[in-house]
Amino acid sequence: CGLIVAAGVAGSLMLGFVMAQLGSMMAESTPINLPEKLKISAESSDAELRSQLTELAESFVEKETNTGIVIAVTRAGKREIVPRGLLQAGGDDPISETTLFEIGSVSKSITGLVMAEQVTTGKLKFDSEITPHLPDAIPELKIDDEAVTFGHLVTHNSGFPRLAFNTRPYAPPFQTANPYAGFSEADLLKAITVAEGKLDRRGKDFNYSNFGFATLAWLLGKNGESTFPELQKSVTDRLGMQDTWIELPEEKRSVLATGHLRGVEIPYWFDGGLYINGAGSTVSTAVDLCAYLEALMGPNSIEGNLKEALKLAITTQNPFNEQDRSGIAFGWFYQRTPGVRRVFGHSGATAGFSSFVEFQPGSRTGIIVLSNSSSEDVNRIGKLIAKSLFL
């Protein structure tokens, strides 16, 4: 997530497309009790589905250290959204379906869509080299004697390290300060310069990199003759995601949940500047993310190049095996097992928030779980729902 580490995507279908070492480090010590199987299926009625989601949400908030949660399912454009809990531990304001959450590395999928639109408009090619878009002082960036491209960055195939050398994301104490604040353009360019000659895929075609996505977002902004936050906003607004932000207006702070780690308030990470722009900087709502998944699963109502970009965003780019059963599209991880239609997803975690998003275009079913508590239970709940609803 904003700032999780991908440990892999192999294994069972709902293994979780990105395993977060940071998320595991911060997860609640005692997981909630979940059933092995839910009492719902793809054929369940809306009322049956809502009842089950409510039961899961209430089980989550019963834990003292878990502050709030929103669980949402969209099926063929019809939504069930169940919020429970509080904006802030000890407060009075309830979580709602329009509460803003940090979504962590789910942000990377939106960055991928921004790139996909630049590809569909001809401003960029998937295999365009990044060096011509960098200052002349930076030497040509290569990985295994191959020039690094935009496509390498969006599929975690660039050899960029997980974190830039000049960031200290776990510098004490992240509980009292945003560890990414103040990372400037000069810092980013210095990090890219230092990376030259040291890019390493570690013997495989996948090396999850927050640094790579921060670089990608900055490059996309420059290529779009804008800042990346402005560029992303132009895309999300056209999808009807008016409450999805990187640069959050002050008047929106009142509906922004407070992040918590084991009951302790945690500073926001979304305003960490260039280091996490595009990698984990987005705040959004369950309603907006439903609109996002609905557009990806059925873009017919979207106009212009963005419609084609939505289709491109979930096309295979870096398969992990010859059968193309798992891999990466434009920032989305995907997986398919025999008898199961392809599923796309991403999880996210910042110090005080957790997020889970998965969707199956073939059944037009999407699942979103958001919390203002750092908890691996968010992934567990999401996977359990997916196991019941995906065909």
Side-chain angles (χ1 to χ4, degrees):
C1 106
L3 312 175
I4 62 177
V5 183
V9 295
S12 64
L13 176 65
M14 292 301 105
L15 181 60
F17 293 90
V18 181
M19 297 298 293
Q21 289 179 5
L22 176 58
S24 298
M25 214 171 62
M26 296 178 176
E28 304 297 342
S29 56
T30 305
I32 64 174
N33 291 322
L34 292 174
E36 291 186 7
K37 187 177 181 180
L38 298 178
K39 302 172 184 177
I40 52 172
S41 68
E43 289 75 36
S44 294
S45 68
D46 295 339
E48 290 169 331
L49 175 60
R50 187 170 188 86
S51 176
Q52 188 71 88
L53 300 185
T54 300
E55 185 176 325
L56 289 169
E58 291 179 349
S59 295
F60 184 89
V61 299
E62 282 176 5
K63 283 182 66 178
E64 182 180 352
T65 53
N66 284 334
T67 304
I69 193 170
V70 180
I71 306 176
V73 172
T74 172
R75 298 189 294 177
K78 192 168 185 179
R79 305 171 186 175
E80 291 294 339
I81 304 177
V82 177
R84 287 294 185 276
L86 300 170
L87 281 176
Q88 184 177 14
D92 299 318
D93 296 323
I95 295 285
S96 77
E97 62 183 30
T98 56
T99 294
L100 286 163
F101 295 84
E102 290 185 347
I103 64 171
S105 276
V106 177
S107 305
K108 291 182 175 69
S109 71
I110 304 176
T111 303
L113 178 59
V114 172
M115 176 176 159
E117 186 175 39
Q118 290 200 2
V119 171
T120 60
T121 57
K123 293 181 179 179
L124 197 66
K125 292 182 179 180
F126 183 80
D127 57 359
S128 293
E129 298 178 13
I130 70 170
T131 299
H133 297 261
L134 293 167
D136 293 339
I138 298 179
E140 183 179 9
L141 294 176
K142 291 187 175 184
I143 176 71
D144 298 337
D145 295 323
E146 180 183 7
V148 174
T149 66
F150 282 82
H152 289 140
L153 291 174
V154 82
T155 60
H156 297 287
N157 193 23
S158 65
F160 270 58
R162 180 175 62 86
L163 302 173
F165 85 98
N166 51 354
T167 57
R168 296 180 61 203
Y170 310 142
F174 62 75
Q175 291 94 338
T176 59
N178 182 343
Y180 297 99
F183 194 81
S184 67
E185 182 174 291
D187 293 326
L188 181 65
L189 293 175
K190 183 177 180 180
I192 296 170
T193 302
V194 170
E196 188 274 325
K198 298 181 180 181
L199 305 183
D200 183 10
R201 288 192 181 122
R202 300 182 184 180
K204 53 189 177 183
D205 290 335
F206 170 75
N207 186 30
Y208 191 87
S209 177
N210 290 305
F211 176 27
F213 260 78
T215 300
L216 173 62
W218 180 80
L219 288 167
L220 291 172
K222 291 292 185 182
N223 194 55
E225 300 179 346
S226 178
T227 67
F228 183 75
E230 292 170 342
L231 197 61
Q232 176 175 296
K233 190 63 178 163
S234 73
V235 169
T236 54
D237 277 358
R238 281 179 284 147
L239 294 177
M241 301 168 66
Q242 268 70 37
D243 275 328
T244 297
W245 308 84
I246 292 177
E247 295 176 338
L248 185 67
E250 189 63 34
E251 62 269 19
K252 288 290 182 178
R253 294 275 178 150
S254 62
V255 292
L256 175 63
T258 299
H260 297 80
L261 172 62
R262 296 179 182 172
V264 178
E265 291 186 15
I266 297 293
Y268 296 114
W269 280 12
F270 73 86
D271 54 358
L274 280 179
Y275 184 73
I276 61 171
N277 278 356
S281 54
T282 301
V283 297
S284 189
T285 69
V287 169
D288 273 18
L289 292 175
C290 281
Y292 181 34
L293 298 191
E294 289 160 6
L296 285 161
M297 294 187 289
N300 294 333
S301 62
I302 307 299
E303 299 179 352
N305 287 298
L306 187 54
K307 177 178 179 178
E308 298 307 312
L310 287 161
K311 296 177 182 178
L312 181 62
I314 55 174
T315 56
T316 298
Q317 301 300 332
N318 182 20
F320 292 156
N321 47 59
E322 292 182 2
Q323 297 79 22
D324 192 24
R325 290 179 180 162
S326 62
I328 310 177
F330 278 71
W332 286 110
F333 291 88
Y334 66 85
Q335 195 162 23
R336 180 184 60 202
T337 57
V340 178
R341 298 172 182 174
R342 184 169 292 172
V343 173
F344 294 84
H346 216 299
S347 60
T350 62
F353 292 83
S354 308
S355 58
F356 173 97
V357 177
E358 286 190 359
F359 65 100
Q360 189 179 53
S363 64
R364 293 186 64 195
T365 301
I367 300 163
I368 298 151
V369 187
L370 304 173
S371 176
N372 59 332
S373 178
S374 180
S375 174
E376 183 61 23
D377 286 334
V378 165
N379 276 338
R380 294 176 63 225
I381 289 170
K383 294 170 195 173
L384 189 60
I385 299 169
K387 185 178 180 180
S388 297
L389 295 186
F390 289 152
L391 300 175

